[in-house]
Amino acid sequence: MINEVIVTSRSREGENQIAPMGVVWREGEVVIAPFRPSRTLDNILTGECAVINYCDDVRVFAGCLTGRYDWPLVEADKVAAPRLVDALAHCEVALLRVEEDKIRPRLICKPLHETNHRPFQGFNRAQAAVLELAILVSRLRRLPWEKIEAELAYLSIAIEKTAGEREQAAWAWLMARVDEFRRQMEDAL
């Protein structure tokens, strides 16, 4: 099972990185598998730690994919990396080992510290639709346009029926990226 989370890390130079990512829990360890190249990959390899942030504000996911990285951070408790201020919960992890891969190495991490900050109230359908659209946006150049169009048609139903202000904003940011990609495809023809 893949959990959609926000991974926060810090570079050697002290720059914070916020990245939406799917992580897998495997026998008490967390597997983070960023694509190459990525700042998150570099940061975890050099700093040997990260924070897994569990977040229900889908604007953070959409924002990171559309150049909006200004989400409030605070220092983590046990590792040299930040965490999201508004995370529902977070898990601080240390890098144990790397399973090498040319495209997507797997960073096997040990949980060091977990904290709940407030209860999870559940996702509405629009939040799930935004997360799915965020995944599509992260793969625009890898998926056939017909698949993207079909997914958009289905996901937009949930937005129309259940979106609040946060979901509408996140959807609009992501759709602007989709529209930009569509224009680039049309211009290339």
Side-chain angles (χ1 to χ4, degrees):
M1 179 173 74
I2 299 172
N3 294 298
E4 298 300 330
V5 300
I6 302 295
V7 175
T8 49
S9 59
R10 180 170 291 138
S11 73
R12 230 183 245 158
E13 297 76 31
E15 295 176 9
N16 294 327
Q17 174 70 12
I18 304 172
M21 199 162 296
V23 300
V24 175
W25 283 86
R26 184 171 74 187
E27 298 175 10
E29 298 173 336
V30 182
V31 181
I32 304 172
F35 285 99
R36 288 185 193 274
S38 95
R39 288 178 51 198
T40 299
L41 175 62
D42 294 343
N43 290 353
I44 296 173
L45 290 175
T46 59
E48 299 185 345
C49 66
V51 178
I52 309 300
N53 296 270
Y54 300 99
C55 180
D56 65 349
D57 186 347
V58 294
R59 294 176 306 172
V60 180
F61 293 85
C64 289
L65 289 166
T66 58
R68 294 166 176 88
Y69 296 101
D70 194 24
W71 304 102
L73 300 170
V74 63
E75 288 300 311
D77 297 313
K78 307 286 183 188
V79 300
R83 72 164 180 86
L84 286 173
V85 168
D86 292 329
L88 298 174
H90 79 276
C91 178
E92 300 171 28
V93 300
L95 180 64
L96 290 175
R97 65 188 178 282
V98 178
E99 294 176 1
E100 287 296 341
D101 185 86
K102 289 179 184 179
I103 298 171
R104 203 169 183 188
R106 282 155 191 76
L107 309 176
I108 314 305
C109 299
K110 173 185 177 180
L112 298 177
H113 177 71
E114 294 183 76
T115 301
N116 288 312
H117 304 288
R118 66 181 190 277
F120 175 60
Q121 305 271 323
F123 281 119
N124 67 36
R125 288 177 55 210
Q127 289 168 310
V130 169
L131 289 177
E132 288 299 324
L133 179 55
I135 293 166
L136 280 174
V137 165
S138 74
R139 297 174 180 163
L140 284 173
R141 300 197 187 287
R142 292 185 216 134
L143 295 172
W145 182 248
E146 297 75 28
K147 176 168 178 53
I148 294 166
E149 283 185 313
E151 293 287 326
L152 286 173
Y154 177 74
L155 295 172
S156 65
I157 296 167
I159 296 299
E160 292 166 10
K161 289 183 176 182
T162 67
E165 288 180 25
R166 287 179 166 186
E167 295 79 24
Q168 289 171 354
W171 184 265
W173 297 342
L174 292 167
M175 284 305 299
R177 183 60 56 92
V178 170
D179 292 341
E180 176 186 323
F181 179 75
R182 182 181 313 159
R183 281 191 300 278
Q184 289 173 356
M185 282 181 33
E186 290 168 356
D187 291 346
L189 295 177

